């Protein structure tokens, strides 16, 4: 599930199909089945392009051959299919930078190879290779900084204009297991939120000074900052929506906590709206500033 950067669309993906809604008219403008490609596309993990005209998806996680597909939102046409390795069954590795100009090829052992990428031409010139044993990775929202974690819990931070090492954070004392480290950058500050399942904790670091800004013991994952950096959001780990919850911390107010039902939160670009898979399996839309439930939408099953 993902909002488009221009706020015009909400994409709802499942194992079997992808639906794209116009957020104003509530009309479905795209309905794609996963059988549209030879390697069945898995629409559970989707991302809009910066111009909101394309969506990235992944091939079926149970196959050995994986593809990153780029779809035209308006026509449903697949404009690119690029071989893309993932870690076991879990999507931990970003392949495109936030501006979609750089592609990370993780297919070589202990090496990430960075290529130029263009929405019209696809893969371009090879830029650099960095030594990276990946247990989770992320770009900063503006694409200027990239970080990845090792299985031992160290986070390495790179500047992407030169792909030089900026800093190292020895974050976790225990290996993070198959799920690795999950983390996200803030939008306007040098802050990095991290979670590691064995540690059962979410922490926020200043990655320039290595100072811990916030630490809470909770069994949660996938932290993310709102666009205005006023809220930090993470989801508890449950097998079903009714056994899961969304944790929302108010950053300026000493990380005051509000708990919402459901799982898999996605944020609207205005920093106030949050879409989740609610306890009934449908999409619940919240205003996290007023803490009000605004709408409930149907969602594709599985």
């Amino acid at each position: 599930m993902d909002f488009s950067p221009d706020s015009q669309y909400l994409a709802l993906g499942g194992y079997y199909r992808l639906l794209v809604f116009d957020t104003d008219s509530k009309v479905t403008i795209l309905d794609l089945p996963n059988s549209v490609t030879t390697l069945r596309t898995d629409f559970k993990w989707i991302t809009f392009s910066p111009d909101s005209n394309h969506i990235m998806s992944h091939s079926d996680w149970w196959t050995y051959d994986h593809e990153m597909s780029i779809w035209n939102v308006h026509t449903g046409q697949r404009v690119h299919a690029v071989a893309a390795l993932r870690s076991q069954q879990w999507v931990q590795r970003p392949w495109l930078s936030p501006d979609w100009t750089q592609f990370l090829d993780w297919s070589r052992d202990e090496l990430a190879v960075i290529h130029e990428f263009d929405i019209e031409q696809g893969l371009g010139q090879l830029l650099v290779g960095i030594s990276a044993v990946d247990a989770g990775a992320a770009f900063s929202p503006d694409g200027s900084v990239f970080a990845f974690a090792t299985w031992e819990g160290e986070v390495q931070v790179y500047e992407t204009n030169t792909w030089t090492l900026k800093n190292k954070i020895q974050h976790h004392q225990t290996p993070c297991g198959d799920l690795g480290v999950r983390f996200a950058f803030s939008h306007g500050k040098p802050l990095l939120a991290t979670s590691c399942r064995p540690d059962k904790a979410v922490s926020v670091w200043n990655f320039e000074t290595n100072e811990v800004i916030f630490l809470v013991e909770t069994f949660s994952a996938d932290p993310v900052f709102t666009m205005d950096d006023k809220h930090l959001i993470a989801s508890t780990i449950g097998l079903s929506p009714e056994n899961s919850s969304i944790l929302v911390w108010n950053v300026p107010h000493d990380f005051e906590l509000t708990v919402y039902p459901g799982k898999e939160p996605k944020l609207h670009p205005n920093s106030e709206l949050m879409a989740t898979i609610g306890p009934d399996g449908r999409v619940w839309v919240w205003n996290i500033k007023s803490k009000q439930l605004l709408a409930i939408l149907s969602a594709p099953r599985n």
Side-chain angles (χ1 to χ4, degrees), residues 69-245:
S69 296
I70 305 295
W71 305 89
N72 185 299
V73 170
H74 308 285
T75 66
Q77 178 186 4
R78 184 166 70 160
V79 296
H80 293 298
V82 181
L85 184 71
R86 73 175 81 207
S87 179
Q88 296 181 10
Q89 300 173 10
W90 303 99
V91 179
Q92 299 178 34
R93 301 172 168 181
W95 294 311
L96 288 175
S97 60
D99 61 3
W100 284 32
T101 63
Q102 296 184 359
F103 173 84
L104 273 71
D105 178 3
W106 294 95
S107 62
R108 309 178 194 186
D109 291 339
E110 301 188 8
L111 185 68
V113 179
I114 296 92
H115 292 263
E116 291 180 344
F117 185 84
D118 180 84
I119 196 62
E120 300 296 333
Q121 303 299 324
L123 286 184
Q125 178 182 350
L126 188 151
L127 298 176
V128 70
I130 60 173
S131 178
V133 180
D134 166 45
F139 280 96
S140 62
D142 64 2
S144 64
V145 180
F146 173 80
F148 72 89
T150 67
W151 293 111
E152 289 73 30
E154 181 182 79
V155 176
Q156 299 186 11
V157 183
Y158 284 80
E159 294 180 342
T160 59
N161 59 339
T162 59
W163 284 97
T164 55
L165 183 64
K166 181 181 180 69
N167 205 349
K168 293 183 179 181
I169 300 171
Q170 187 56 49
H171 170 218
H172 298 286
Q173 301 303 314
T174 58
C176 285
D178 291 342
L179 291 180
V181 179
R182 303 298 180 94
F183 52 89
F185 288 91
S186 68
H187 295 262
K189 301 176 182 179
L191 301 181
L192 182 64
T194 64
S195 66
C196 176
R197 188 168 184 174
D199 282 357
K200 298 182 181 179
V202 172
S203 57
V204 178
W205 293 75
N206 183 316
F207 60 80
E208 291 185 344
T209 65
N210 285 8
E211 178 186 4
V212 180
I213 305 299
F214 172 67
L215 175 63
V216 60
E217 293 184 0
T218 180
F219 198 62
S220 61
D222 299 324
V224 62
F225 285 94
T226 55
M227 289 284 291
D228 60 7
D229 290 336
K230 291 184 178 180
H231 292 90
L232 173 66
I233 298 173
S235 54
T236 62
I237 301 172
L239 296 179
S240 61
E242 59 269 23
N243 295 324
S244 305
S245 58

Side-chain angles (χ1 to χ4, degrees), residues 15 32 35 40 64-65 71 73 77 98 107 109 132 137 159 187 208 231 238 250 264 281 284-286 291:
Y15 180 76
L32 280 180
S35 58
R40 292 192 303 178
Y64 289 101
D65 297 319
W71 305 89
V73 170
Q77 178 186 4
S107 62
D109 291 339
E159 294 180 342
H187 295 262
E208 291 185 344
H231 292 90
N250 191 316
E264 299 181 21
W284 291 26
V285 181
W286 297 87
K291 304 178 184 179

Side-chain angles (χ1 to χ4, degrees), residues 270-290:
N270 72 2
S271 296
E272 293 187 7
L273 299 184
M274 175 180 70
T276 73
I277 302 299
D280 59 1
R282 294 184 292 174
V283 176
W284 291 26
V285 181
W286 297 87
N287 184 308
I288 59 176
K289 184 177 180 180
S290 66

